[in-house]
Amino acid sequence: MPSPTLAVERLIRALEAVTRLAGAIAIGLTLLLILATCAVVVMRYFLATGSIALQESMSYMHGAIFMLGAAWTLRVGGHVRVDVFYRGASPRAQAWIDVAGGLLFLLPLCALIFWLSWDYVLSSWAIREKSNEGSGLPYVYLLKTLLLIMPATLMVQGVAEILKNLLFATGRGGAHVGEKVEPL
Amino acid sequence: MAEFIPLYMFAAVCLLLMLGYPVAFSLSGVALAFAAGGMVTGHFDMAFLHALPNRIYGTIINTTLIAVPLFVFMGVMLEKSKLAEDLLGNMSRLCGTLRGGLGISVILVGMLLAASTGIVGATVVTMGLMSLPSMLKQGYSPSLATGTICATGTLGQIIPPSIVLVLLGDILSTAYQQAQLKMGIFSPETVSIGDLFIAAIVPGLLLVLLYILYVYGYALLWPERAPRESRRIRAGELLPVLGPLLPPVLLIIAVLGSILSGAATPTEAAGVGAAGAMVLALAKRQLDFRRLREVMTSTTEVTSMVFMILIGAAVFSLVFRGFGGEELVASLFERIPGGVFGATLVVMLVIFFLGFILDFIEITFVVVPIVAPVLMAMGVDPVWLGIMIAVNLQTSFLTPPFGFALFYLRGVAPASVLTRDIYRGVLPFIAIQLALLAALALWPGLITWLPNLILH
C-alpha cells in the first residue's frame, strides 16, 4: 500500500502528461505559423496568387497556440500576477493563495466555459460546419472544439496545481509555482 | 443600490487582484461570483454569458491578432540571440566619447529593443541586466542609470510595432464602430493598427529625443556623475562597429515600413519579421535547435498569457454589461463637469491609477472597451485617445511606489543600488512624460498630423 502522498504525486504526474502533450503541440505550431505566414506573403507578393485555405490555416494555428498552450503556461507560472504582495509573501502563503484561487476562480471559470461551449460546439459538429468561403477549410467544427479542449486541459492542470500546492503548503514536499519545471 | 453593482464588482476585482492569483482567472472568477449572486437575487440574467463562446471563437479567427504570437517570436528571438547585447556594446563604443554617451546609447538601444518586444517587463529586465552593470562600472550615478533604464524600458508600449498597440488598435476599432452606430452612423469609419502605429511615431520619437536631451544636459551639468569614455574611436574602427548594428535595425525598419506604407498587413510583416529574426540569429551562429525550442516555448507562454487575459476580461465585461455597467458609466460621464475635457481627464486619471495594479494588456481589455465608446461618442478622436492612453500608462508604470517598471528593475538591480536611487532617478523622466502628455492634449496635431498626411 503506497503512501497517500505518493499516490497524489503519481496523480499529478498523470494530469501533467496531458498538459505536456497539449503544450508540445502548441509550441510546435508557433514555428509552423511563421512558415505559413511567410508562404502566404511569398504567394501574394511574388506569385500574385493566394490560398484561402492556407490563410485560414493561420487562424487555426494561432487559435491552437493559445488554447492548447494555456494549461502549459499555468504549469510554468506564466500567467501574469499582480505580485505587489504575493512576491513578499512566504512560499507557504503563496501556495495557499494558489489553492484558493484555483478552487474559487480557475475551476469555476473552466467549468463555465466548458458548459457554455458544449451546445455551441455540438451544433457545429452536427452539421460538420465548413468555412464560409468555398475554397476554405471544411474543419470549422474542429476549430470550435478548441473551446472544449482549452477549459478541459486548463482544468486538468488546475487540479494538478491545486494538489501540488496543497502538498507544499502542508509540508509534504511537492514543487511550488513554476519551480523545477523542466523544458519540454 | 443595485445600479452600482458594476462599481462594487470593479472594486472587488482590484482588491482581490492584490492577492496575486493570475490576473486572467481573478478577473473572471470575481465576475462569476457576482453573476452567481446576481442570479440568486434576480439582478443578473444568465443570457448575457451565452455570448462567451462566440467571443472566444471571434478571438481565434481574428486575423489581425495573429500578429501577436509572430511579434512575440520576433522579439524573443532577437533578445535570446544576444543581438540586443551586441547592439548596446557597439552603440556605446560609438557614443562613448560623447557627454552622457553611454546613457544615450542605452536609450537608443532601448528604443530599438522596445520596438521589437513591446513588453514592458521584458525590456526593463533585459536592459537592466545588460546595461546597469556597465553604467555603474563607468561611474554613472545609480539614480541616473536606473532612471534611464526604467524610462527606456517603458518605451516599448509606444514605439511601434508594439504588441499593446496591436491589441489596443483592435479594441479601439470595435469601440469606435459601436460609438458611431449609437450616433446613428451606419457606415462607420474604422481605426486600423497601421493608424495607431503611424500616430505613435511622432510622440515616440519626441520622447526619445527628450530623454536624450535630459541625459545630455545632466552630463553637461554634472560630468562626474555621467563620465565619458576616455578613449576616442578611430575612423578605422568605425566599420566593424557599425556593421553588426545594421541588420537588426534594418529588420525593424523593414517590418515597420511595410506596415506603414500599407504594403503588408501587420500579420504579414510580423511573420516575415519573425523569419528575419531567425535568419539574423542563424547568421550570427546563435541559433541551434535548443535555442529555437526556447524561443518557441516562450512565444507560446506569452501568447497564452495575453489571450487568457483577453478571455478573462471578456467574462468580466459580459457580467459588467449584464449588471448595467455601460449605462452606469455613461450616466457617470454625463455628470462629470467640463464636458469632453472633464470626462477625458477623469478617464486618464483613472487609467493612471489603475496602471499601478494592472498591466497595459489588462487595461486594454477591461477598461478601454468600457470607457472608449462613451468618450468617442462625445467626439474624442479614437487614434488620439489610443496614444494618450499609451503615454499615460507609460507614465503610470514609472511612478513610485507602484510603477511596474520600478519593480522589474528592482528585481534585477544589485543591492548596492538603493530603491531610493531608483525613485529619485525616474522623477525627471516622469516630468518629461507629463510634459509630453500636456503637449499632446494641447496640440492633438502631434498625434493626428502624420496619419492624416500619410493616409489621406
Side-chain angles (χ1 to χ4, degrees), chain A residues 27 30 34 44-45 62 66 69 72-73 78-82 87 97 101-102 105 109 115-116 120 140 147 184, chain B residues 17 19-23 25 28 46 49 54 56-57 65 73 263-264 268 293 296 300-301 304-305 307-308 357:
Chain A
I27 288 167
T30 56
I34 295 171
R44 201 174 118 190
Y45 294 95
H62 166 68
F66 64 85
W72 168 262
T73 306
H79 289 292
V80 62
R81 303 166 182 269
V82 176
R87 184 209 321 254
I97 288 174
F105 294 160
L109 174 72
W115 178 67
L116 287 174
Y120 184 82
V140 171
L147 290 177
L184 270 175
Chain B
L17 276 176
L19 284 178
Y21 196 67
V23 176
F25 312 128
S28 41
M46 186 68 196
L49 280 173
N54 215 11
I56 302 178
Y57 181 63
L65 293 179
F73 187 99
E268 290 168 346
R293 200 178 57 183
M296 288 162 70
T300 306
E301 288 162 13
S304 304
M305 180 271 282
F307 284 99
M308 283 309 118
I357 49 171

CSV table of all heavy atoms in Angstrom, one decimal, chain A residues 27 30 34 44-45 62 66 69 72-73 78-82 87 97 101-102 105 109 115-116 120 140 147 184, chain B residues 17 19-23 25 28 46 49 54 56-57 65 73 263-264 268 293 296 300-301 304-305 307-308 357:
chain,number,residue,atom,x,y,z
A,27,ILE,N,3.5,24.6,-28.9
A,27,ILE,CA,4.8,25.1,-29.1
A,27,ILE,C,5.3,24.8,-30.5
A,27,ILE,O,5.9,25.7,-31.2
A,27,ILE,CB,5.8,24.5,-28.0
A,27,ILE,CG1,5.5,25.1,-26.7
A,27,ILE,CG2,7.3,24.7,-28.4
A,27,ILE,CD1,6.1,24.4,-25.5
A,30,THR,N,4.0,27.3,-33.2
A,30,THR,CA,4.5,28.6,-33.4
A,30,THR,C,5.4,28.7,-34.7
A,30,THR,O,5.3,29.6,-35.4
A,30,THR,CB,5.3,29.1,-32.2
A,30,THR,OG1,6.4,28.2,-32.0
A,30,THR,CG2,4.4,29.2,-31.0
A,34,ILE,N,4.7,30.7,-38.4
A,34,ILE,CA,5.7,31.6,-39.1
A,34,ILE,C,5.9,31.2,-40.6
A,34,ILE,O,5.8,32.0,-41.5
A,34,ILE,CB,7.0,31.7,-38.4
A,34,ILE,CG1,6.8,32.3,-37.0
A,34,ILE,CG2,8.0,32.5,-39.2
A,34,ILE,CD1,8.1,32.2,-36.2
A,44,ARG,N,1.6,35.9,-52.3
A,44,ARG,CA,0.8,37.1,-52.6
A,44,ARG,C,1.7,38.1,-53.4
A,44,ARG,O,1.3,38.7,-54.4
A,44,ARG,CB,0.3,37.8,-51.4
A,44,ARG,CG,-0.9,38.7,-51.7
A,44,ARG,CD,-1.5,39.2,-50.4
A,44,ARG,NE,-1.4,40.7,-50.4
A,44,ARG,CZ,-1.7,41.4,-49.4
A,44,ARG,NH1,-2.0,40.9,-48.3
A,44,ARG,NH2,-1.5,42.7,-49.4
A,45,TYR,N,2.9,38.3,-52.9
A,45,TYR,CA,3.7,39.4,-53.5
A,45,TYR,C,4.6,38.9,-54.6
A,45,TYR,O,5.0,39.7,-55.5
A,45,TYR,CB,4.6,40.0,-52.4
A,45,TYR,CG,3.8,40.7,-51.4
A,45,TYR,CD1,3.4,40.1,-50.2
A,45,TYR,CD2,3.3,42.0,-51.6
A,45,TYR,CE1,2.6,40.7,-49.3
A,45,TYR,CE2,2.5,42.7,-50.7
A,45,TYR,CZ,2.1,42.0,-49.5
A,45,TYR,OH,1.3,42.6,-48.6
A,62,HIS,N,-3.0,29.8,-35.0
A,62,HIS,CA,-3.0,30.8,-34.0
A,62,HIS,C,-3.9,30.5,-32.8
A,62,HIS,O,-3.5,30.5,-31.6
A,62,HIS,CB,-3.5,32.1,-34.6
A,62,HIS,CG,-3.8,33.2,-33.7
A,62,HIS,ND1,-2.9,33.9,-32.9
A,62,HIS,CD2,-5.0,33.8,-33.5
A,62,HIS,CE1,-3.6,34.8,-32.2
A,62,HIS,NE2,-4.8,34.8,-32.5
A,66,PHE,N,-2.7,29.4,-28.4
A,66,PHE,CA,-3.1,29.8,-27.0
A,66,PHE,C,-4.1,29.0,-26.4
A,66,PHE,O,-4.2,28.9,-25.1
A,66,PHE,CB,-3.4,31.3,-27.0
A,66,PHE,CG,-4.6,31.7,-27.8
A,66,PHE,CD1,-5.9,31.7,-27.2
A,66,PHE,CD2,-4.5,32.3,-29.0
A,66,PHE,CE1,-7.0,32.1,-27.9
A,66,PHE,CE2,-5.6,32.7,-29.7
A,66,PHE,CZ,-6.9,32.6,-29.2
A,69,GLY,N,-2.0,26.1,-25.3
A,69,GLY,CA,-0.8,26.5,-24.5
A,69,GLY,C,-1.2,27.0,-23.2
A,69,GLY,O,-0.3,27.2,-22.3
A,72,TRP,N,-0.2,24.7,-20.2
A,72,TRP,CA,1.2,24.6,-20.1
A,72,TRP,C,1.7,25.9,-19.4
A,72,TRP,O,2.6,25.9,-18.5
A,72,TRP,CB,1.9,24.4,-21.4
A,72,TRP,CG,3.3,24.7,-21.4
A,72,TRP,CD1,4.0,25.8,-21.8
A,72,TRP,CD2,4.3,23.8,-20.9
A,72,TRP,NE1,5.3,25.7,-21.6
A,72,TRP,CE2,5.6,24.4,-21.0
A,72,TRP,CE3,4.3,22.5,-20.4
A,72,TRP,CZ2,6.8,23.9,-20.7
A,72,TRP,CZ3,5.5,21.9,-20.1
A,72,TRP,CH2,6.7,22.6,-20.2
A,73,THR,N,1.1,27.0,-19.8
A,73,THR,CA,1.5,28.3,-19.3
A,73,THR,C,1.2,28.4,-17.8
A,73,THR,O,2.0,28.9,-17.0
A,73,THR,CB,0.8,29.5,-20.0
A,73,THR,OG1,1.1,29.3,-21.4
A,73,THR,CG2,1.4,30.8,-19.6
A,78,GLY,N,3.4,31.1,-16.0
A,78,GLY,CA,3.5,32.1,-17.0
A,78,GLY,C,2.3,33.1,-17.0
A,78,GLY,O,2.4,34.1,-17.8
A,79,HIS,N,1.2,32.8,-16.3
A,79,HIS,CA,0.1,33.8,-16.3
A,79,HIS,C,0.4,34.9,-15.3
A,79,HIS,O,0.7,34.7,-14.2
A,79,HIS,CB,-1.2,33.1,-15.9
A,79,HIS,CG,-1.7,32.1,-17.0
A,79,HIS,ND1,-2.1,32.6,-18.2
A,79,HIS,CD2,-1.7,30.8,-17.1
A,79,HIS,CE1,-2.5,31.5,-19.0
A,79,HIS,NE2,-2.2,30.4,-18.3
A,80,VAL,N,0.4,36.1,-15.9
A,80,VAL,CA,0.9,37.3,-15.1
A,80,VAL,C,0.0,37.5,-13.8
A,80,VAL,O,-1.2,37.3,-13.8
A,80,VAL,CB,0.9,38.5,-16.0
A,80,VAL,CG1,-0.5,38.9,-16.5
A,80,VAL,CG2,1.5,39.7,-15.3
A,81,ARG,N,0.7,37.8,-12.8
A,81,ARG,CA,0.1,38.1,-11.5
A,81,ARG,C,0.4,39.6,-11.1
A,81,ARG,O,1.3,40.2,-11.5
A,81,ARG,CB,0.7,37.2,-10.4
A,81,ARG,CG,0.7,35.8,-10.6
A,81,ARG,CD,1.6,35.1,-9.6
A,81,ARG,NE,1.6,33.6,-9.8
A,81,ARG,CZ,0.8,32.8,-9.2
A,81,ARG,NH1,0.0,33.2,-8.3
A,81,ARG,NH2,0.9,31.5,-9.5
A,82,VAL,N,-0.5,40.1,-10.2
A,82,VAL,CA,-0.2,41.4,-9.6
A,82,VAL,C,0.6,41.0,-8.3
A,82,VAL,O,0.0,40.5,-7.4
A,82,VAL,CB,-1.5,42.1,-9.2
A,82,VAL,CG1,-1.2,43.4,-8.4
A,82,VAL,CG2,-2.3,42.4,-10.4
A,87,ARG,N,4.7,38.6,-4.1
A,87,ARG,CA,6.1,38.4,-4.1
A,87,ARG,C,6.8,38.3,-2.7
A,87,ARG,O,7.7,37.6,-2.5
A,87,ARG,CB,6.8,39.5,-4.9
A,87,ARG,CG,8.3,39.4,-5.1
A,87,ARG,CD,8.9,40.8,-5.2
A,87,ARG,NE,8.0,41.7,-6.0
A,87,ARG,CZ,8.3,42.1,-7.2
A,87,ARG,NH1,9.4,41.6,-7.8
A,87,ARG,NH2,7.5,42.9,-7.9
A,97,ILE,N,-2.6,30.8,-1.4
A,97,ILE,CA,-3.3,31.7,-2.3
A,97,ILE,C,-3.6,30.9,-3.6
A,97,ILE,O,-4.7,31.0,-4.2
A,97,ILE,CB,-2.5,32.9,-2.6
A,97,ILE,CG1,-2.4,33.8,-1.4
A,97,ILE,CG2,-3.0,33.7,-3.8
A,97,ILE,CD1,-1.5,35.0,-1.5
A,101,GLY,N,-7.2,30.3,-5.1
A,101,GLY,CA,-7.5,30.9,-6.4
A,101,GLY,C,-7.9,29.8,-7.4
A,101,GLY,O,-8.9,30.0,-8.2
A,102,GLY,N,-7.2,28.7,-7.3
A,102,GLY,CA,-7.6,27.6,-8.2
A,102,GLY,C,-9.0,27.1,-8.0
A,102,GLY,O,-9.7,26.9,-8.9
A,105,PHE,N,-11.5,30.5,-8.4
A,105,PHE,CA,-11.5,31.3,-9.6
A,105,PHE,C,-11.3,30.4,-10.9
A,105,PHE,O,-12.1,30.5,-11.8
A,105,PHE,CB,-10.4,32.3,-9.6
A,105,PHE,CG,-10.6,33.4,-8.6
A,105,PHE,CD1,-9.5,34.2,-8.2
A,105,PHE,CD2,-11.8,33.7,-8.1
A,105,PHE,CE1,-9.6,35.2,-7.3
A,105,PHE,CE2,-12.0,34.7,-7.1
A,105,PHE,CZ,-10.9,35.5,-6.7
A,109,LEU,N,-14.3,28.9,-13.6
A,109,LEU,CA,-14.2,29.5,-15.0
A,109,LEU,C,-14.2,28.4,-16.0
A,109,LEU,O,-14.9,28.5,-17.0
A,109,LEU,CB,-13.0,30.4,-15.1
A,109,LEU,CG,-12.8,30.9,-16.5
A,109,LEU,CD1,-13.8,32.0,-16.9
A,109,LEU,CD2,-11.3,31.5,-16.7
A,115,TRP,N,-19.2,24.3,-20.1
A,115,TRP,CA,-20.6,24.2,-20.1
A,115,TRP,C,-21.3,25.1,-21.2
A,115,TRP,O,-22.1,24.6,-21.9
A,115,TRP,CB,-21.2,24.5,-18.7
A,115,TRP,CG,-22.6,24.3,-18.6
A,115,TRP,CD1,-23.4,23.2,-18.7
A,115,TRP,CD2,-23.5,25.4,-18.4
A,115,TRP,NE1,-24.7,23.5,-18.6
A,115,TRP,CE2,-24.8,24.8,-18.4
A,115,TRP,CE3,-23.4,26.8,-18.2
A,115,TRP,CZ2,-26.0,25.6,-18.2
A,115,TRP,CZ3,-24.5,27.5,-18.0
A,115,TRP,CH2,-25.8,27.0,-18.0
A,116,LEU,N,-20.9,26.3,-21.2
A,116,LEU,CA,-21.5,27.3,-22.2
A,116,LEU,C,-21.1,26.8,-23.6
A,116,LEU,O,-21.9,27.1,-24.6
A,116,LEU,CB,-21.0,28.7,-22.0
A,116,LEU,CG,-21.5,29.4,-20.8
A,116,LEU,CD1,-20.7,30.8,-20.6
A,116,LEU,CD2,-23.0,29.7,-20.9
A,120,TYR,N,-22.7,24.9,-28.3
A,120,TYR,CA,-22.1,25.7,-29.4
A,120,TYR,C,-21.3,24.8,-30.3
A,120,TYR,O,-21.4,24.8,-31.5
A,120,TYR,CB,-21.3,26.8,-28.8
A,120,TYR,CG,-20.7,27.8,-29.7
A,120,TYR,CD1,-21.4,28.9,-30.2
A,120,TYR,CD2,-19.3,27.7,-30.1
A,120,TYR,CE1,-20.8,29.8,-31.0
A,120,TYR,CE2,-18.7,28.6,-30.9
A,120,TYR,CZ,-19.5,29.7,-31.4
A,120,TYR,OH,-18.9,30.6,-32.2
A,140,VAL,N,-14.2,23.8,-39.6
A,140,VAL,CA,-14.6,24.8,-38.6
A,140,VAL,C,-15.1,24.1,-37.3
A,140,VAL,O,-14.8,24.5,-36.2
A,140,VAL,CB,-15.7,25.7,-39.1
A,140,VAL,CG1,-16.3,26.6,-38.0
A,140,VAL,CG2,-15.2,26.6,-40.2
A,147,LEU,N,-12.7,25.2,-28.0
A,147,LEU,CA,-13.5,25.8,-26.9
A,147,LEU,C,-13.8,24.8,-25.8
A,147,LEU,O,-14.1,25.2,-24.7
A,147,LEU,CB,-14.8,26.4,-27.4
A,147,LEU,CG,-14.7,27.6,-28.3
A,147,LEU,CD1,-16.1,28.0,-28.8
A,147,LEU,CD2,-14.1,28.7,-27.6
A,184,LEU,N,10.1,21.3,-22.2
A,184,LEU,CA,9.5,20.2,-23.0
A,184,LEU,C,10.6,19.6,-23.9
A,184,LEU,O,11.3,20.4,-24.5
A,184,LEU,CB,8.4,20.8,-23.8
A,184,LEU,CG,7.0,20.7,-23.2
A,184,LEU,CD1,6.0,21.4,-24.1
A,184,LEU,CD2,6.6,19.3,-22.9
B,17,LEU,N,-7.3,41.2,-6.8
B,17,LEU,CA,-6.1,41.0,-7.7
B,17,LEU,C,-4.8,41.1,-6.9
B,17,LEU,O,-3.8,40.5,-7.2
B,17,LEU,CB,-6.1,42.1,-8.8
B,17,LEU,CG,-6.9,41.8,-10.0
B,17,LEU,CD1,-6.9,43.0,-11.0
B,17,LEU,CD2,-6.3,40.6,-10.8
B,19,LEU,N,-4.1,39.9,-4.2
B,19,LEU,CA,-3.7,38.6,-3.6
B,19,LEU,C,-2.6,38.0,-4.4
B,19,LEU,O,-1.8,37.2,-3.9
B,19,LEU,CB,-4.9,37.7,-3.4
B,19,LEU,CG,-5.9,38.0,-2.3
B,19,LEU,CD1,-7.0,37.0,-2.4
B,19,LEU,CD2,-5.2,37.9,-1.0
B,20,GLY,N,-2.7,38.2,-5.7
B,20,GLY,CA,-1.6,37.7,-6.5
B,20,GLY,C,-1.9,36.4,-7.3
B,20,GLY,O,-1.0,35.9,-7.9
B,21,TYR,N,-3.2,36.0,-7.3
B,21,TYR,CA,-3.5,34.9,-8.2
B,21,TYR,C,-3.6,35.5,-9.6
B,21,TYR,O,-3.9,36.6,-9.8
B,21,TYR,CB,-4.9,34.3,-7.8
B,21,TYR,CG,-5.1,32.9,-8.4
B,21,TYR,CD1,-4.3,31.9,-8.1
B,21,TYR,CD2,-6.0,32.7,-9.4
B,21,TYR,CE1,-4.5,30.6,-8.7
B,21,TYR,CE2,-6.2,31.5,-10.0
B,21,TYR,CZ,-5.4,30.5,-9.6
B,21,TYR,OH,-5.5,29.2,-10.3
B,22,PRO,N,-3.2,34.6,-10.6
B,22,PRO,CA,-3.1,35.2,-12.0
B,22,PRO,C,-4.3,36.0,-12.4
B,22,PRO,O,-5.5,35.7,-12.1
B,22,PRO,CB,-3.1,33.9,-12.9
B,22,PRO,CG,-2.3,32.9,-12.0
B,22,PRO,CD,-2.8,33.2,-10.6
B,23,VAL,N,-4.0,37.1,-13.0
B,23,VAL,CA,-5.0,38.2,-13.3
B,23,VAL,C,-6.1,37.6,-14.2
B,23,VAL,O,-7.3,37.9,-13.9
B,23,VAL,CB,-4.3,39.3,-14.1
B,23,VAL,CG1,-5.3,40.4,-14.5
B,23,VAL,CG2,-3.2,40.0,-13.2
B,25,PHE,N,-7.6,34.8,-14.4
B,25,PHE,CA,-8.5,34.0,-13.7
B,25,PHE,C,-9.2,34.7,-12.5
B,25,PHE,O,-10.3,34.5,-12.2
B,25,PHE,CB,-7.9,32.7,-13.2
B,25,PHE,CG,-7.1,32.0,-14.3
B,25,PHE,CD1,-5.8,31.6,-14.1
B,25,PHE,CD2,-7.7,31.8,-15.6
B,25,PHE,CE1,-5.0,31.0,-15.1
B,25,PHE,CE2,-6.9,31.2,-16.6
B,25,PHE,CZ,-5.6,30.8,-16.4
B,28,SER,N,-12.1,36.9,-14.1
B,28,SER,CA,-13.3,36.1,-14.4
B,28,SER,C,-13.9,35.5,-13.2
B,28,SER,O,-15.1,35.4,-13.1
B,28,SER,CB,-13.0,35.1,-15.5
B,28,SER,OG,-11.8,34.4,-15.2
B,46,MET,N,-28.6,35.3,-16.8
B,46,MET,CA,-27.6,34.4,-17.3
B,46,MET,C,-27.4,34.5,-18.8
B,46,MET,O,-26.3,34.2,-19.4
B,46,MET,CB,-28.0,32.9,-17.0
B,46,MET,CG,-27.1,31.8,-17.3
B,46,MET,SD,-25.6,31.9,-16.2
B,46,MET,CE,-24.5,30.9,-17.1
B,49,LEU,N,-24.1,35.7,-20.5
B,49,LEU,CA,-22.9,34.9,-20.5
B,49,LEU,C,-22.9,34.0,-21.8
B,49,LEU,O,-21.9,33.5,-22.2
B,49,LEU,CB,-22.7,34.1,-19.3
B,49,LEU,CG,-22.2,34.9,-18.1
B,49,LEU,CD1,-22.2,34.1,-16.8
B,49,LEU,CD2,-20.7,35.3,-18.4
B,54,ASN,N,-19.0,32.5,-28.5
B,54,ASN,CA,-18.8,33.3,-29.7
B,54,ASN,C,-17.7,34.3,-29.6
B,54,ASN,O,-16.9,34.6,-30.6
B,54,ASN,CB,-20.1,33.9,-30.1
B,54,ASN,CG,-20.3,33.9,-31.6
B,54,ASN,OD1,-19.5,33.3,-32.4
B,54,ASN,ND2,-21.2,34.7,-32.1
B,56,ILE,N,-15.0,34.1,-27.7
B,56,ILE,CA,-13.7,33.4,-27.7
B,56,ILE,C,-13.4,32.9,-29.1
B,56,ILE,O,-12.3,33.1,-29.6
B,56,ILE,CB,-13.7,32.1,-26.8
B,56,ILE,CG1,-14.0,32.6,-25.3
B,56,ILE,CG2,-12.4,31.4,-26.8
B,56,ILE,CD1,-14.1,31.5,-24.3
B,57,TYR,N,-14.4,32.4,-29.8
B,57,TYR,CA,-14.2,32.0,-31.2
B,57,TYR,C,-13.8,33.2,-32.1
B,57,TYR,O,-12.9,33.1,-32.9
B,57,TYR,CB,-15.5,31.3,-31.7
B,57,TYR,CG,-15.3,30.8,-33.2
B,57,TYR,CD1,-14.4,29.8,-33.5
B,57,TYR,CD2,-16.0,31.3,-34.2
B,57,TYR,CE1,-14.2,29.4,-34.7
B,57,TYR,CE2,-15.9,30.9,-35.5
B,57,TYR,CZ,-14.9,29.9,-35.8
B,57,TYR,OH,-14.7,29.5,-37.1
B,65,LEU,N,-5.1,39.7,-34.9
B,65,LEU,CA,-4.4,39.3,-33.7
B,65,LEU,C,-3.4,38.2,-33.9
B,65,LEU,O,-2.6,37.9,-33.0
B,65,LEU,CB,-5.5,38.8,-32.6
B,65,LEU,CG,-6.4,39.9,-32.1
B,65,LEU,CD1,-7.4,39.3,-31.1
B,65,LEU,CD2,-5.6,41.0,-31.5
B,73,PHE,N,7.4,36.2,-31.1
B,73,PHE,CA,8.5,35.4,-31.5
B,73,PHE,C,9.7,36.2,-32.0
B,73,PHE,O,10.8,36.0,-31.6
B,73,PHE,CB,8.0,34.5,-32.7
B,73,PHE,CG,9.0,33.4,-33.1
B,73,PHE,CD1,8.9,32.1,-32.7
B,73,PHE,CD2,10.1,33.7,-34.0
B,73,PHE,CE1,9.8,31.2,-33.1
B,73,PHE,CE2,11.0,32.8,-34.4
B,73,PHE,CZ,10.9,31.5,-33.9
B,263,ALA,N,2.0,48.3,-47.5
B,263,ALA,CA,2.3,47.2,-48.5
B,263,ALA,C,2.0,45.8,-47.9
B,263,ALA,O,1.6,44.9,-48.6
B,263,ALA,CB,3.8,47.3,-48.8
B,264,ALA,N,2.0,45.7,-46.5
B,264,ALA,CA,1.7,44.5,-45.9
B,264,ALA,C,0.8,44.7,-44.7
B,264,ALA,O,0.8,45.8,-44.1
B,264,ALA,CB,3.0,43.8,-45.5
B,268,GLU,N,1.3,39.9,-41.8
B,268,GLU,CA,2.3,39.5,-42.7
B,268,GLU,C,3.7,40.1,-42.4
B,268,GLU,O,4.7,39.3,-42.4
B,268,GLU,CB,1.9,40.0,-44.1
B,268,GLU,CG,0.7,39.3,-44.7
B,268,GLU,CD,0.2,40.1,-46.0
B,268,GLU,OE1,0.6,41.2,-46.2
B,268,GLU,OE2,-0.6,39.4,-46.7
B,293,ARG,N,13.9,26.0,-29.7
B,293,ARG,CA,12.8,25.5,-28.8
B,293,ARG,C,12.5,26.4,-27.7
B,293,ARG,O,11.3,26.6,-27.3
B,293,ARG,CB,13.3,24.1,-28.3
B,293,ARG,CG,12.1,23.2,-27.8
B,293,ARG,CD,12.6,21.9,-27.4
B,293,ARG,NE,13.6,22.1,-26.3
B,293,ARG,CZ,14.3,21.1,-25.7
B,293,ARG,NH1,14.0,19.8,-26.1
B,293,ARG,NH2,15.1,21.3,-24.8
B,296,MET,N,10.4,29.2,-29.1
B,296,MET,CA,9.1,28.8,-29.4
B,296,MET,C,8.3,28.6,-28.1
B,296,MET,O,7.1,28.9,-28.0
B,296,MET,CB,9.1,27.4,-30.2
B,296,MET,CG,9.6,27.6,-31.6
B,296,MET,SD,10.2,26.0,-32.3
B,296,MET,CE,8.6,25.1,-32.5
B,300,THR,N,4.9,30.7,-27.0
B,300,THR,CA,3.6,30.1,-26.6
B,300,THR,C,3.2,30.6,-25.2
B,300,THR,O,2.0,30.9,-25.1
B,300,THR,CB,3.8,28.5,-26.5
B,300,THR,OG1,4.4,28.1,-27.7
B,300,THR,CG2,2.5,27.8,-26.2
B,301,GLU,N,4.1,30.7,-24.3
B,301,GLU,CA,3.7,31.1,-23.0
B,301,GLU,C,3.2,32.6,-22.9
B,301,GLU,O,2.1,32.9,-22.4
B,301,GLU,CB,4.9,31.0,-22.0
B,301,GLU,CG,5.1,29.5,-21.7
B,301,GLU,CD,6.5,29.3,-21.1
B,301,GLU,OE1,7.2,30.2,-20.7
B,301,GLU,OE2,6.9,28.1,-21.1
B,304,SER,N,-0.2,32.7,-24.8
B,304,SER,CA,-1.3,32.2,-24.0
B,304,SER,C,-1.7,33.1,-22.9
B,304,SER,O,-2.9,33.3,-22.6
B,304,SER,CB,-0.9,30.8,-23.4
B,304,SER,OG,-0.5,29.9,-24.4
B,305,MET,N,-0.7,33.7,-22.3
B,305,MET,CA,-0.9,34.6,-21.2
B,305,MET,C,-1.8,35.8,-21.6
B,305,MET,O,-2.8,36.1,-21.0
B,305,MET,CB,0.5,35.1,-20.7
B,305,MET,CG,0.4,36.1,-19.5
B,305,MET,SD,0.4,37.8,-20.1
B,305,MET,CE,2.1,38.1,-20.6
B,307,PHE,N,-3.8,36.0,-24.3
B,307,PHE,CA,-5.1,35.7,-24.7
B,307,PHE,C,-6.0,35.2,-23.6
B,307,PHE,O,-7.2,35.3,-23.6
B,307,PHE,CB,-5.1,34.7,-25.9
B,307,PHE,CG,-4.7,35.4,-27.2
B,307,PHE,CD1,-3.4,35.4,-27.7
B,307,PHE,CD2,-5.7,36.2,-27.9
B,307,PHE,CE1,-3.1,36.1,-28.8
B,307,PHE,CE2,-5.3,36.9,-29.0
B,307,PHE,CZ,-4.0,36.8,-29.5
B,308,MET,N,-5.4,34.6,-22.6
B,308,MET,CA,-6.2,34.2,-21.4
B,308,MET,C,-6.7,35.4,-20.7
B,308,MET,O,-7.8,35.5,-20.2
B,308,MET,CB,-5.4,33.3,-20.4
B,308,MET,CG,-5.2,31.9,-20.9
B,308,MET,SD,-6.8,31.1,-21.3
B,308,MET,CE,-6.5,30.8,-23.0
B,357,ILE,N,-1.9,48.8,-10.6
B,357,ILE,CA,-2.2,47.4,-10.3
B,357,ILE,C,-2.4,46.5,-11.6
B,357,ILE,O,-2.2,45.3,-11.5
B,357,ILE,CB,-3.4,47.2,-9.4
B,357,ILE,CG1,-4.6,48.0,-9.9
B,357,ILE,CG2,-3.1,47.5,-8.0
B,357,ILE,CD1,-5.9,47.6,-9.2
